[in-house]
């Protein structure tokens, strides 16, 4: 049998067909891969554009145990009536009564009460951890809203943000005979008196010295409800004096401060009976503030 001749440079038809088929398949796979990649990039880009920035969480995740947060020596000073109790009775009073809460990581509290011969002292501690459920509002910002409501309830106004000072108008040259532009836009010759007072005229109404009958601002004692410095991020003290049953009086001092997303309230009250003098404001405020600063240090531990 005669063999077929093989000519160099020629490729059999079968091989040509096989190569063309492989090229078509490879091209199809490449096209699918490129299309899939483009679609993935498009989906990822859309997902990233739709994501909103998330506000940072608060500094605190848990709260301390309140009844054990106040040293025994401090409690004895705040509750002088414990001095006349037996050891067993004193221990029971100083142990305090924990507030009933549903989540001790969100809110805790404790109260102590001691009677004395001429009245009663009561200390109440409330600690709240604020959590924002709005992802665009931080826990600290939400806590500030809660704190502001407490401050307003105490009769302390929230300072307003000062408006920006307008820029002074540009003045023209002040050479001899030149004019300058006033704040109202009118041109005034330089050297001309700008007010009647400067030229010896009469003082405009309402701008002179106050008359003898003008009431003056009430004098302050420095013990009125006010903002406090150096305590947490922001703090205030409230002070209210009232009456109790019969002829007794009661003074309630509250010190409230915020540190990040935690708000601490120290309420210290004294009630007197009969003809006893009203509780001293400065003494109660000093004691309440000292305890508040101690608790602020506790939060920093």
């Amino acid at each position: 049998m005669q063999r077929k001749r093989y000519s160099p440079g020629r490729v059999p038809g079968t091989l040509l067909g096989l190569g063309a088929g492989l090229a078509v398949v490879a091209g199809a796979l490449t096209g699918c891969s490129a299309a899939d990649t483009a679609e993935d990039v498009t989906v990822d880009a859309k997902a990233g554009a739709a994501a909103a920035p998330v506000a940072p969480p608060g500094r605190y995740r848990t709260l301390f145990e309140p009844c054990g947060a106040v040293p025994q020596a401090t409690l004895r000073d705040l509750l002088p009536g414990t001095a006349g109790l037996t050891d067993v009775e004193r221990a029971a009073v100083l142990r305090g009564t924990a507030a009933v809460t549903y989540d001790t990581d969100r809110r805790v509290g404790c109260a102590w009460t001691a009677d004395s011969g001429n009245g009663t002292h009561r200390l109440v501690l409330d600690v709240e951890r604020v959590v924002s459920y709005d992802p665009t509002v931080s826990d600290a910002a939400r806590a500030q809203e809660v704190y502001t409501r407490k401050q307003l309830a105490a009769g302390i106004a929230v300072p307003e943000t000062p408006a920006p000072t307008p820029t002074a108008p540009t003045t023209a040259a002040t050479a001899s005979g030149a004019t300058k532009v006033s704040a109202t836009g009118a041109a005034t010759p330089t050297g001309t008196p700008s007010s009647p007072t400067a030229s010896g005229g009469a003082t405009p109404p309402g701008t002179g010295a106050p008359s003898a009958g003008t009431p003056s601002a009430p004098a302050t004692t420095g013990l009125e409800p006010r903002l406090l410095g150096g305590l947490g991020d922001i703090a205030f003290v409230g002070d209210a004096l009232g009456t109790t049953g019969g002829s007794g009086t009661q003074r309630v001092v509250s010190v409230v401060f915020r540190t990040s997303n935690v708000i601490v309230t120290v309420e210290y009250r004294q009630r007197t009976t009969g003809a006893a003098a009203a509780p001293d404001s400065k003494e109660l405020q000093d004691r309440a503030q000292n305890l508040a600063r101690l608790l602020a240090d506790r939060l920093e531990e």
Side-chain angles (χ1 to χ4, degrees), residues 75-86 89-90 92-94 111-123 244 249-250 268-273:
L75 286 173
R76 285 193 291 268
D77 290 339
L78 293 170
L79 307 170
T82 57
L85 302 177
T86 65
E89 292 172 336
R90 184 182 306 108
V93 171
L94 298 182
W112 300 262
T113 304
D115 297 328
S116 59
N118 60 350
T120 302
H121 288 79
R122 179 174 174 81
L123 172 67
T244 58
T249 58
Q250 175 177 255
Y268 186 40
R269 65 178 62 197
Q270 180 182 356
R271 184 174 67 245
T272 60
T273 57

Side-chain angles (χ1 to χ4, degrees), residues 20-177:
L22 290 175
V24 172
V25 173
L29 290 176
T30 302
C32 292
S33 176
D36 292 344
T37 303
E39 292 177 358
D40 292 343
V41 171
T42 302
V43 172
D44 291 343
K46 291 180 179 179
V54 178
R59 176 180 177 185
Y60 300 99
R61 298 291 186 177
T62 59
L63 298 174
F64 55 78
E65 197 282 313
C67 292
V70 185
Q72 296 285 294
T74 302
L75 286 173
R76 285 193 291 268
D77 290 339
L78 293 170
L79 307 170
T82 57
L85 302 177
T86 65
D87 292 344
V88 175
E89 292 172 336
R90 184 182 306 108
V93 171
L94 298 182
R95 192 179 303 120
T97 302
V100 178
T101 61
Y102 296 100
D103 186 352
T104 54
D105 285 335
R106 291 290 304 275
R107 193 163 196 165
V108 295
C110 194
W112 300 262
T113 304
D115 297 328
S116 59
N118 60 350
T120 302
H121 288 79
R122 179 174 174 81
L123 172 67
V124 180
L125 177 61
D126 179 78
V127 186
E128 179 182 3
R129 183 175 69 90
V130 181
V131 176
S132 172
Y133 294 102
D134 186 342
T136 63
V137 179
S138 67
D139 293 344
R142 187 68 73 199
Q144 178 60 31
E145 295 176 2
V146 177
Y147 167 88
T148 299
R149 289 195 292 269
K150 292 177 177 289
Q151 178 177 316
L152 293 174
I156 305 174
V158 177
E160 297 183 359
T161 303
T165 304
T167 304
T170 305
T171 58
T174 56
S176 176

Side-chain angles (χ1 to χ4, degrees), residues 228-254:
L228 297 175
L231 179 58
D233 295 333
I234 188 170
F236 73 85
V237 59
D239 192 324
L241 179 64
T243 59
T244 58
S247 59
T249 58
Q250 175 177 255
R251 184 178 295 278
V252 180
V253 171
S254 300

